[in-house]
Amino acid sequence: MNYYLIIINETVCRRIVHYRNKCNLTREDLASNVGVNLKHLISIEAGSRIPRISELVQLAAGLGVSINDLVNNE
């Protein structure tokens, strides 16, 4: 796997968890709200799966943030 892709994925994972916690959502709540399989969401948050763009769009909407909020490393 490309080094930059790993860094981006780690950023996305941390941000999804951060915003999910900030919204006081459980993994089950978020998965249900955005139509993502719970096991798949757990894999995304753990960094073992890279989310597709369509999943990022769904997750960002479910968290009330932009995709940029999920991928920006600031």
Side-chain angles (χ1 to χ4, degrees), residues 13-43:
C13 298
R14 283 193 318 270
R15 295 236 173 231
I16 290 170
V17 172
H18 168 78
Y19 286 114
R20 180 176 58 75
N21 290 331
K22 189 174 179 180
C23 293
N24 293 315
L25 294 171
T26 65
R27 287 176 173 154
E28 292 83 2
D29 292 337
L30 181 58
S32 177
N33 292 348
V34 302
V36 174
N37 180 286
L38 176 59
K39 288 183 181 182
H40 188 66
L41 176 61
I42 291 169
S43 296

Side-chain angles (χ1 to χ4, degrees), residues 5-15 45 47:
L5 191 53
I6 292 169
I7 298 299
I8 290 169
N9 192 48
E10 289 175 359
T11 298
V12 169
C13 298
R14 283 193 318 270
R15 295 236 173 231
E45 285 190 354

